[in-house]
């Protein structure tokens, strides 16, 4: 190949590379990168604990019950079902990409994934156990004792070890390679004209003020019902429950829009089952925009391009209980 051709090719590649970098830099939503696993043994232990229903009083409810990894990391119910078929107080947010959140839970009462992992175990409306009994279950199972000793250097299983391992597993639950990410990285054929039109409208009306970054949300708290009040029977008051400040009343963590087509029904009360309804409600209540049906359809089409690779792994084989393992109480 002649030198002039080589120079032309190299210049073309440089321009392409620069254009791609500019697209990623300029767009308010960034691509998700695959998880980098540096402690595989800890992640594997966390996976076992995430799926182990013996951490609940009934022996039936696990982390995966409300954050089902076959269903977008949620349970697709308005509010979750807890111990003794109790109705949960709020919609279960997805666990996918939750490591990118500014805090955990709708009201942000847990600062980290590790802190969040401890909450449901002892919540009487969720797993309804105690931390002491949950640890007793794990200490009664020799394989768990060996796993914890290998990873944490002590046979004495502590709650911090349990929640640290669960958090390590949850940090791997990211969803890269969505069609939108492929477009961000330069594949102009990854999105249709309608999807691109929806993304442009999404930006024009101001959705990106809250839904930005790699998770397209999850990094701020916003009042539900800025332009018009949000009417709901759900008693949750959002961030106010944590801070006690009147300004935080009905302020909730902005949910991620990643995989949003999988995580219906929507909002903290799970009141709306379709993306089209959710788009319309958010545009009116938060932005004062009455969208044409074509805009709603295009924005909905764009949102579906945010679905990425779902977690893909072998289900853990849980170690068996022993004669010393505390017995579950499934019916009370």
């Amino acid at each position: 190949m002649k030198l002039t051709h080589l120079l032309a090719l190299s210049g073309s590649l440089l321009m392409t590379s620069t254009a791609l970098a500019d697209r990623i830099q300029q767009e308010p939503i960034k691509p998700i990168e695959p998880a980098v696993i540096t402690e595989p043994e800890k992640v594997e232990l966390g996976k076992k604990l995430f799926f182990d229903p013996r951490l609940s009083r009934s022996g039936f409810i696990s982390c995966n019950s409300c954050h089902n990894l076959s269903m977008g990391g949620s349970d697709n119910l308005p509010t979750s079902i807890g111990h003794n078929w109790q109705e949960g107080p709020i919609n279960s947010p997805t666990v996918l990409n939750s490591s990118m959140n500014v805090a955990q839970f709708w009201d942000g009462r847990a600062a980290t994934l590790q802190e969040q992992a401890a909450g449901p175990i002892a919540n009487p409306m969720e797993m309804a156990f105690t931390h002491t009994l949950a640890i007793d279950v794990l200490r009664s199972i020799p394989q768990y004792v060996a796993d914890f000793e290998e990873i944490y250097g002590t046979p004495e299983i502590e709650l911090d070890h349990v929640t640290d391992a669960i958090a390590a597993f949850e940090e791997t639950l990211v969803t890269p390679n969505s069609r939108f990410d492929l477009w961000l990285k330069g594949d102009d054929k990854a999105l249709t004209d309608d999807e691109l039109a929806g993304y442009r409208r999404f930006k024009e009306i101001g959705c990106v003020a809250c839904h930005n970054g790699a998770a397209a949300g999850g990094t701020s708290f916003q009042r539900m019902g800025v332009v018009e009040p949000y009417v709901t029977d759900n008693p949750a008051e959002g961030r106010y429950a944590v801070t006690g400040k009147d300004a935080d009343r009905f302020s909730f963590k902005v949910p991620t829009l990643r995989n949003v087509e999988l995580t219906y029904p929507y909002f903290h009360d799970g009141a709306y089952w379709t993306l089209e309804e959710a788009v319309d409600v958010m545009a009116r209540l938060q932005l004062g925009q009455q969208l044409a049906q074509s805009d709603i359809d295009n924005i909905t089409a764009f949102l579906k391009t945010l679905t990425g690779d779902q977690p893909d792994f072998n289900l853990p084989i849980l170690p068996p209980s022993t004669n010393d393992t505390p017995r579950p109480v499934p019916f009370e």
Side-chain angles (χ1 to χ4, degrees):
M1 185 178 290
K2 292 182 179 180
L3 178 59
T4 52
H5 290 165
L6 285 172
L7 290 173
L9 178 59
S10 122
S12 172
L13 290 173
L14 180 60
M15 287 178 63
T16 302
S17 175
T18 303
L20 298 187
D22 285 347
R23 179 179 287 178
I24 292 174
Q25 185 175 1
Q26 291 172 6
E27 296 299 336
I29 299 176
K30 308 301 180 186
I32 287 181
E33 299 301 330
V36 177
I37 299 175
T38 58
E39 298 179 286
E41 293 83 6
K42 182 186 289 188
V43 169
E44 188 62 26
L45 173 58
K47 181 168 69 173
K48 290 178 183 177
L49 297 170
F50 186 90
F51 280 93
D52 200 327
R54 290 170 295 185
L55 295 181
S56 68
R57 178 169 174 79
S58 65
F60 184 73
I61 299 173
S62 69
C63 300
N64 193 66
S65 298
C66 297
H67 302 287
N68 194 319
L69 297 181
S70 298
M71 301 166 70
S74 64
D75 57 15
N76 296 145
L77 297 172
T79 59
S80 296
I81 298 170
H83 183 69
N84 274 354
W85 214 252
Q86 292 180 86
E87 180 181 352
I90 205 161
N91 182 259
S92 180
T94 178
V95 72
L96 301 182
N97 306 302
S98 56
S99 58
M100 302 176 189
N101 288 339
V102 64
Q104 305 302 319
F105 297 114
W106 282 99
D107 58 12
R109 65 184 180 273
T112 64
L113 281 175
Q114 183 175 2
E115 186 180 344
Q116 184 278 330
I121 294 173
N123 188 319
M125 293 188 69
E126 296 184 55
M127 298 170 81
F129 224 9
T130 68
H131 291 148
T132 299
L133 284 172
I135 297 302
D136 286 347
V137 166
L138 297 175
R139 287 175 176 169
S140 74
I141 300 173
Q143 187 176 328
Y144 269 136
V145 173
D147 287 345
F148 277 97
E149 183 169 12
E150 179 182 353
I151 294 165
Y152 294 100
T154 173
E156 290 301 315
I157 300 174
E158 304 292 343
L159 179 64
D160 282 350
H161 300 156
V162 174
T163 55
D164 179 63
I166 293 174
F169 170 63
E170 290 178 341
E171 286 169 0
T172 70
L173 302 178
V174 297
T175 58
N177 301 319
S178 70
R179 288 197 294 118
F180 183 76
D181 285 357
L182 298 181
W183 177 80
L184 281 175
K185 293 182 177 183
D187 183 356
D188 289 330
K189 296 181 179 179
L191 302 185
T192 68
D193 290 343
D194 287 347
E195 291 161 351
L196 282 170
Y199 179 48
R200 285 194 298 270
R201 197 74 178 110
F202 182 86
K203 292 188 289 184
E204 287 168 358
I205 65 176
C207 302
V208 292
C210 299
H211 294 288
N212 53 56
T219 57
S220 66
F221 297 91
Q222 301 293 335
R223 179 179 172 81
M224 186 67 166
V226 174
V227 179
E228 299 178 28
Y230 182 71
V231 179
T232 179
D233 293 331
N234 190 291
E237 295 187 297
R239 190 75 178 142
Y240 172 79
V242 177
T243 68
K245 297 178 180 178
D246 239 16
D248 289 333
R249 199 181 298 273
F250 306 123
S251 180
F252 295 90
K253 185 181 66 183
V254 175
T256 174
L257 293 181
R258 292 290 184 169
N259 311 291
V260 69
E261 70 172 318
L262 306 177
T263 58
Y264 52 85
Y266 301 108
F267 310 145
H268 69 280
D269 58 353
Y272 292 87
W273 282 87
T274 73
L275 262 180
E276 289 83 357
E277 289 176 307
V279 168
D280 173 59
V281 169
M282 283 291 95
R284 288 188 291 103
L285 271 57
Q286 302 302 105
L287 302 169
Q289 296 277 343
Q290 185 71 53
L291 295 178
Q293 188 60 48
S294 58
D295 286 334
I296 292 174
D297 292 341
N298 287 343
I299 291 174
T300 298
F302 152 66
L303 291 175
K304 292 181 179 181
T305 73
L306 294 172
T307 301
D309 292 345
Q310 300 300 291
D312 185 17
F313 47 75
N314 293 325
L315 284 174
I317 303 303
L318 303 180
S321 298
T322 67
N323 293 345
D324 297 325
T325 303
R327 300 291 184 259
V329 186
F331 308 108
E332 293 184 280

